[in-house]
Amino acid sequence: MGNDGKTPMLDDLEKGAWPSFVKEIKVAAKKSNTAKDLLGILERSYRDKVTHWKHGGIVGVLGYGGGVIGRYCDLPEEFPGVAHFHTVRVNPPSGFFYTSKALKELCDIWDKYGSGMTNMHGSTGDMIWLGTQTDKLEPIFAEITAKGWDLGGSGSCLRTPSSCVGMARCEFANIDTMDICHTLTHKFQDELHRPAFPYKFKIKVSGCANDCTAAVARADMSIIGTWRDSIRIDQAEVKNYSSKMNIQEEIVGMCPTKCMSFDGGALKINDKDCNRCMHCINQMPKALRPGKERGATIMLGGKAPIVTGALMSWVIVPFMKLEAPYDNLEDLIRKLWEWWDEHGKNRERIGELVDRMGMRSMLESTGLPPVPQMVKAPRTNPYVFWAPGEVK
Amino acid sequence: MLHTIRIKGDTIMDAAELQKKVYELVEKNMGKKKMKAGDITKAMEAEGASRDEVKAAIRELVDGGKLVYSYFGGSFIEVPHVEGSANPQQ
Amino acid sequence: MADKPKRITDLGSPDYKKFLPPAIAKNYGKWKYHEQLGKGVMKHVSETGDELYTVRIATPRLVSTDYIREMCDIAEKFCGGFLRWTTRHNVEFFPAKDQVDALTADLKKRGHLVGGIGYGISNVVHTQGWIHCHTPATDASGVVKAVMDELHEYFTTKSLPARVRIALACCLNMCGAVHCSDIAILGIHRLPPKVNEATLANQCEIPTTIASCPTGAISPNPATKSVKIKAERCMYCGNCYTMCPSLPIADGSGDGISIYVGGKVSNARGPARMSKLVIPFLPNNPPRWPETVKAVKHLVEVYAANAKKHERMGEWIERIGWERFFKLTGIPFTYQHIDDFTFARDTFRMTPTFKWE
């Protein structure tokens, strides 16, 4: 078949309303043979319906065990530009805010050493630079660090923590998500770059129960903002909303705890029954606001399926005050890691370890007390374990 | 570089010797078992070293290029070598 | 010792504060409320009375440096060079009030899609697929492009009863953890890896290859200095291929796409929940995956026609019941829909109370 340089299948994906990644690769291919051969090998995958990449595990920058993913193609003679096609993960600033100056500097570095193709951003939140060769890694690292940037995590590391936009632009933020993310990233630099865990560990920080970072699904440690006191109500604004929406049906009727009532004039909330789900606040942000006693719920264990099936994080601390420099959170995370290091098997995520060892082992070693908020309901089975000394 | 002397029982080990032991452990297992940082730590703790000392030893060896981190669905510490995927001839 | 420049390491993320637009830096933590002014524009109002306008566009996620430069140029022209990416691969600009219309017009003129805010379909979180991954069961960017070419109006103009979050992961390892999405498009392998006996002994370490299998399906094959795979134990994670390039898992006809629905991460009205399997297999049919596009579009349309306002797809299905969902969508229910892995029993129904037609 050979590499004839034609890409009819991909060309078809230049059409249509949605922005086209094929156009992007073609733009990069004008400047880079790596991007040109990326287009060619991708077309081959479209023909063959299989991938043409192999994993490589021994590439990186000196001293780090994370931040670079090794990749080689299985057709290096036909597509020499992508014979080596390693990925570089660059740790982004919290909240993904950038200045054009900083981004253009990064683009210049990447054009000099790589394919010019990127993901903004990868699944964990890193800036992903797709496609370079082993001998370019140290020069890339030297240039990005000179501009104040560093690599993100990969492998059995702390992965690059990420957060929602939080207090930068969201009135729902109960915690300073961006600052927490930034502070944790800096406290845990060693853990981020030098893999010493049984497997990966992800931290995501969301400012409210809407969970815009999908922390509950995608992070071993999910930090989700909440409040403890009463929802703040502006009754005049409630009245304004009542001309735009059916408050009885859309707000009161959809409240999961049935803690509200509306008489056409004022909205009443029985805050003792409210579980702070965010529905009413989402719908009437001008009238309703979270309370003032703010903090976060800390949850543990979320992950994708490998190995025992996907997990969503569960509560380990119902409410934690989070104020800079967040030493209470750091302390908890370090204790959790110590317990995981001690007991975890190779490739066992912390949530799976809780499954295997039980909550009690984790709670005892971190000093967290058992509380009802940790369970949907207490156990039903009677096979209850008693520790030595508990039976007197 | 650390030059602490450790004495535990009758074991006397300085930082250079600990590094040598870590390197030998990794080298001995090459091709048989990929060693994780945790495996190395547990083995060296059994020889009397502390967790932090092992961590420092690994860091010295990796920063000096004698050992490298690898990632194969989990991170390991290995003697540098050309991996299978990088070699199209095989 | 002095001949080498010192390597700079462990810098971590750059300080986010130097990237914040002045209006955001000034009102950080003081936002009072927001209003949606269209599918792609919103206004945030601060306790100080300051207003912040945001205009959002879709990106293809996989972008060239020139694309990023174009975004930068737009930001320089309209908002002092400040811009932001969202967690769903959209770009946001922060123009002054009197620049909102000019910016929106400029973006549209350049061919960008302004939208993604509120009830509809925002950008599709997805993985690498055939662009870069070694274990994908399908492509990522191509499938997303084909699906969104069909559904883009839900990004720019059309509304739905609530948000419909679509995500794609190109294999079951889900490095894009899609398992809590309204619609999850998931690549699946259905055949165990093939053993390339000619190359395995040279290319792979046999003990570590055996150890890489989470289910213990791999054993030594001394006769060929290779390994054997117990097919019935394999759950297609591809980890052995990560370790050993002589065990390719990809297969042109075995691989394809499955579809899960009804998950969400928000706790609004009810807790976050996982997506459930509704279509066990659709073939890989590049470049436009017509079967997958049709299936996703159908799911969106049946949901749009039947759900109540604010009801996410999973909430709607829970209200009507799964038996009615399968009837309304016309999707056949098969053995594959009934879980038989670790958490299976949690999914079985233990009540005789059904909704019959």
Side-chain angles (χ1 to χ4, degrees), chain A residues 54-59 62-65 72 76 154-156 159 190-191 193-199 341-342 346-347, chain B residues 36-38 42 51 55 59 62-65 68-76 78 81 83-89:
Chain A
K54 296 187 288 184
H55 179 70
I58 315 183
V59 283
L62 183 69
Y64 279 16
Y72 303 92
S154 65
S156 304
R159 300 302 184 87
D190 197 36
E191 288 79 3
H193 299 305
R194 296 172 191 85
F197 297 147
Y199 204 16
D341 274 345
E342 181 68 29
N346 184 21
R347 296 184 80 233
Chain B
K36 288 191 79 85
K42 278 175 187 157
R51 181 179 281 255
K55 199 172 168 182
R59 184 155 177 180
V62 172
D63 282 351
V68 290
Y69 287 108
S70 68
Y71 176 72
F72 291 96
S75 295
F76 305 95
E78 302 188 48
H81 63 278
E83 58 197 341
S85 289
N87 190 346
Q89 307 312 321

Side-chain angles (χ1 to χ4, degrees), chain A residues 95-258:
Chain A
F96 304 142
F97 284 94
Y98 297 97
T99 57
S100 58
K101 179 174 174 285
L103 274 180
K104 284 179 175 176
E105 284 173 357
L106 289 173
C107 287
D108 291 345
I109 297 172
W110 184 229
D111 278 348
K112 190 165 152 193
Y113 296 110
S115 72
M117 288 306 296
T118 74
N119 290 141
M120 297 291 282
H121 298 80
S123 291
T124 301
D126 292 294
M127 218 184 294
I128 305 281
W129 292 359
L130 288 159
T132 190
Q133 292 82 38
T134 305
D135 59 352
K136 311 277 177 58
L137 296 171
E138 282 296 332
I140 290 171
F141 187 61
E143 292 215 23
I144 63 165
T145 50
K147 295 283 182 194
W149 299 81
D150 196 356
L151 297 181
S154 65
S156 304
C157 284
L158 170 64
R159 300 302 184 87
T160 305
S162 85
S163 78
C164 67
V165 71
M167 292 187 170
R169 199 201 47 203
C170 184
E171 67 271 24
F172 301 159
N174 292 287
I175 47 175
D176 192 346
T177 58
M178 282 170 46
D179 194 53
I180 294 167
C181 174
H182 183 71
T183 307
L184 294 182
T185 303
H186 283 254
K187 280 177 189 274
F188 299 136
Q189 277 296 291
D190 197 36
E191 288 79 3
L192 207 151
H193 299 305
R194 296 172 191 85
F197 297 147
Y199 204 16
K200 66 184 89 166
F201 192 92
K202 299 191 180 190
I203 299 176
K204 288 191 191 293
V205 194
S206 289
C208 77
N210 287 325
D211 193 6
C212 288
T213 62
V216 73
R218 308 180 76 159
D220 298 270
M221 171 161 281
S222 320
I223 300 162
I224 299 180
T226 188
W227 69 97
R228 288 174 63 134
D229 52 345
S230 300
I231 291 178
R232 289 177 280 170
I233 309 181
D234 181 337
Q235 296 291 359
E237 289 296 343
V238 171
K239 202 149 182 61
N240 285 337
Y241 275 109
S242 72
S243 65
K244 290 180 278 185
M245 62 165 70
N246 183 336
I247 291 182
Q248 181 59 40
E249 197 173 301
E250 294 179 48
I251 307 298
V252 176
M254 296 189 92
C255 169
T257 64
K258 306 287 172 237

Side-chain angles (χ1 to χ4, degrees), chain C residues 151 154 158 160 296-306:
Chain C
L151 298 177
Y154 293 108
K158 282 190 189 170
L160 287 167
V296 173
K297 191 175 184 214
H298 180 58
L299 285 164
V300 170
E301 285 172 350
V302 175
Y303 158 77
N306 290 278

Side-chain angles (χ1 to χ4, degrees), chain C residues 102-329:
Chain C
L103 169 61
T104 307
D106 191 62
L107 288 165
K108 286 183 178 167
K109 204 176 100 199
R110 291 164 181 267
H112 295 296
L113 299 184
V114 178
I117 297 173
Y119 285 179
I121 299 177
S122 186
N123 212 330
V124 179
V125 169
H126 59 283
T127 55
Q128 305 289 26
W130 294 333
I131 281 285
H132 186 253
C133 181
H134 65 297
T135 61
T138 187
D139 190 34
S141 305
V143 182
V144 168
K145 164 77 175 145
V147 167
M148 288 312 289
D149 272 345
E150 198 64 36
L151 298 177
H152 65 92
E153 285 171 327
Y154 293 108
F155 186 91
T156 51
T157 52
K158 282 190 189 170
S159 272
L160 287 167
R163 287 183 174 80
V164 174
R165 296 295 196 214
I166 305 180
L168 179 146
C170 51
C171 82
L172 53 66
N173 294 321
M174 292 191 201
C175 69
V178 298
H179 57 279
C180 295
S181 307
D182 293 279
I183 300 179
I185 304 170
L186 179 67
I188 54 163
H189 301 287
R190 296 183 299 166
L191 295 169
K194 290 175 270 290
V195 182
N196 188 342
E197 294 190 330
T199 58
L200 194 138
N202 282 331
Q203 228 173 13
C204 312
E205 298 170 359
I206 289 178
T208 54
T209 303
I210 290 169
S212 74
C213 180
T215 63
I218 304 177
S219 58
N221 186 353
T224 56
K225 289 187 181 155
S226 176
V227 297
K228 289 182 284 197
I229 296 177
K230 200 173 242 182
E232 65 273 21
R233 276 208 188 168
C234 176
M235 35 71 132
Y236 323 118
C237 69
N239 198 57
C240 56
Y241 181 60
T242 303
M243 202 65 101
C244 168
S246 295
L247 294 173
I249 187 165
D251 184 279
S253 51
D255 298 347
I257 281 174
S258 60
I259 299 199
Y260 290 67
V261 307
K264 68 182 186 104
V265 292
S266 161
N267 288 274
R269 299 170 303 283
R273 62 202 67 174
M274 290 203 199
S275 317
K276 283 92 179 170
L277 177 70
V278 292
I279 303 179
F281 185 77
L282 295 165
N284 272 331
N285 201 352
R288 288 213 165 256
W289 281 267
E291 298 85 353
T292 299
V293 171
K294 193 176 156 206
V296 173
K297 191 175 184 214
H298 180 58
L299 285 164
V300 170
E301 285 172 350
V302 175
Y303 158 77
N306 290 278
K308 291 182 187 167
K309 193 174 176 190
H310 307 306
E311 225 173 25
R312 295 282 289 263
M313 188 167 291
E315 296 170 88
W316 162 62
I317 296 170
E318 272 166 38
R319 177 168 59 80
I320 64 169
W322 281 100
E323 47 272 44
R324 192 165 293 165
F325 168 84
F326 280 97
K327 194 172 169 101
L328 276 172
T329 55

